[in-house]
Amino acid sequence: MATYNYVEPTNSNLVCCICRAPFVDPVTTQACSHTFCRGCISEALEHSLQCPVDRLPLTPEDLTSAGPLIRSLVDELLVSCPNNDCPHVCQRDLLQGHLDACEFLIVDCPEQSCHQMVVRKDAVNGACIHSAVICSECYAEVAMSEYEAHSSTCPDSACSCEHCATEISKSTIELHGETCERAPVVCTHAPNGCSWKGERRLRDGHISSCPYEAIKGFFIIHKDTTAALKEENALLQAKIDALQGHLRATTRDLQVAKAALGPWYTNAVNRTEAGLPIHHPPRSRAPTSASLNPATSPQPPLPGPRASISTLGSDAPNPAPASVTPTHVNATPGPSNTSHDWRAHSSRPSPNISHNWDPSSLTARSIARDVVAPIDLGTSLEGSLHGLRESMVTLSTTVDSVGRRSEIALTNETVRLNEEVMSVRAHLHGLRMQVHAIMMDRNTQVTGRVDEGGGITEGAWIPTRFSQVPGQPQIPLSITKL
Amino acid sequence: MAGLPKRIIKETERLMADPAPGITATPHDDNLRYFDVTIAGPDGSPFAAGNFRLELFLPEEYPMAPPKVRFLTKIYHPNIDKLGRICLDILKDKWSPALQIRTVLLSIQALLSSPNPDDPLATDVAKHYKEDEKDAQRVSQEWTQLYAK
């Protein structure tokens, strides 16, 4: 016996340390009293003449059969039959007896010409189960071994109706069930609430007295109405679904638009909530725009650029025809005013002339007041961008004109200064001449007093000094050359 | 190959279900006699914290003949040469059919704890261990950190 299929775990004391299975024909060593299967220890001794457990010298002659106690312990272990499908379980020493009679043992087919294998129980009647047989019901060819399985499912095999006990074939039994007079059925008005149940042959009798039969017409009308309502309902449901889908798409679009608009969106919502028209007069929103855009002048902007920003709305009332006036035209009074100021300033001998040239004092006021339109959150983003762009154009124009203005002013100032310098020089020349005359007069007096030997009094020279002709310088130290 | 002996099946089942501490042994799918083994370096030895890979093969004569075991991870040990072969008596003449895979691997783990330079396989390592054990252990530790991660 090669292997046993033990059905329970074995006590480890009964396990051979070589094959790790319960002893088969156990033998014990005389010297060290170790027990092994006879087959295992014999094979081990062929390799090495020593005990596998303690390596003491060992020869086959030293082996004796194990005691009857061990033998009976291992012989009583339960094993299962090794043949497939055989459920037999028995003590190990009885297994051989079972195998001799096991019905599941594979044997040759009893038919000499057939070379297939069969389990023994199929071979007992001597017939080959592999030969084909004809089904007595459906006349199909079926192998003998499959005949049993076939006959239980053969569509032509007879069976009896469970209601009327008629013998009919299996394949038609379902058909028969629909017409069998004795089959249990319910009233035709069962869907409407009739609870009658009975054999089919009794149903006609019931219907004649069925209370539901009397209002059959109502049921038909009711059914039609219900069907129409259901259809309509389904239609409406579909419509709702479509609308919901549409709403979802719109909401999604709105979200995208919101994300794109950023801060502009909030403003639009406020405006809508306030119930104001989209393009209401810009001046009413001036505080908002000023607070959002602190860089701009707190002054209310001119209607011109504002109106041009909000002209996107076709229904917006055009505030003034002046709205089309180009900003640089608005600014044209600027240069004359400023040049006038400069003239006033320059006429004063101000020591701080450079102050007049400060570009900020020159232009900041006019730009802030005239051309910069604050960002208008009241219009659409596009309109605001358009307005901003317009403001930029205006700004650049203004900067340009301011540049030109200051250039002209510079030139004017230079000319004026030149003139002034010229006049100062002329004055200076006159003064020099006068001083020269005075000096000459004094020189003459001094020289004259020296010449006259002090005959002239101190006060006498004053009336005469202008009548004196300048003479030759007598005392070079006191004469100032101009 | 003929059917796997019941003993090998039983041993494999036990190794997988109830592995010895620090030791794993997994048979190859295509050859149930060939095992991938890992042995954790024993604590307190220069091989601690190392994870050593080995291969184990059960020859046709098993359990009458010993399994063939070899280190795959480089190791600085006087009884293991650079090809990974192990000098262990139970893998050679002291083999007994009463031994099994589990006991063999436990013996190898014990060999890591107590190198035996008097029965060397790698003579240079054994010499190192004999002359300066501290330094040799340091090298073993270095190799463990280097190769046995």
Side-chain angles (χ1 to χ4, degrees), chain A residues 73-102:
Chain A
L73 278 175
V74 292
D75 280 344
E76 284 174 9
L77 293 170
L78 292 179
V79 295
S80 61
C81 175
N83 291 326
N84 281 339
D85 299 330
C86 181
H88 189 78
V89 173
C90 62
Q91 286 187 11
R92 203 177 78 178
D93 55 340
L94 302 177
L95 184 65
Q96 194 54 51
H98 162 75
L99 284 177
D100 291 342
C102 180

Side-chain angles (χ1 to χ4, degrees), chain A residues 36-56:
Chain A
F36 308 93
C37 307
R38 188 182 293 279
C40 294
I41 189 63
S42 303
E43 196 182 347
L45 289 181
E46 284 172 23
H47 286 81
S48 165
L49 286 175
Q50 55 184 13
C51 173
V53 178
D54 55 15
R55 297 200 181 94
L56 287 177

Side-chain angles (χ1 to χ4, degrees), chain A residues 6 10 14-16 19-24 37 74 77 92, chain B residues 10:
Chain A
Y6 297 92
T10 315
L14 299 178
V15 169
C16 167
C19 66
R20 304 275 152 199
F23 299 119
V24 175
C37 307
V74 292
L77 293 170
R92 203 177 78 178
Chain B
K10 278 190 176 174

Side-chain angles (χ1 to χ4, degrees), chain A residues 3-6 17-22 36 39-41 43-45 47-48 50-53 55, chain B residues 5-8 10-11 14 60-65 89-90 93-100 103:
Chain A
T3 51
Y4 291 105
N5 298 319
Y6 297 92
C17 68
I18 297 178
C19 66
R20 304 275 152 199
F36 308 93
C40 294
I41 189 63
E43 196 182 347
L45 289 181
H47 286 81
S48 165
Q50 55 184 13
C51 173
V53 178
R55 297 200 181 94
Chain B
K6 271 215 166 151
R7 164 167 168 159
I8 294 180
K10 278 190 176 174
E11 276 197 59
R14 176 127 189 265
E60 193 64 38
E61 305 81 48
Y62 182 84
M64 296 308 157
D89 54 359
I90 61 157
D93 53 324
K94 288 286 168 53
W95 171 252
S96 149
L99 296 169
Q100 41 178 330
T103 50

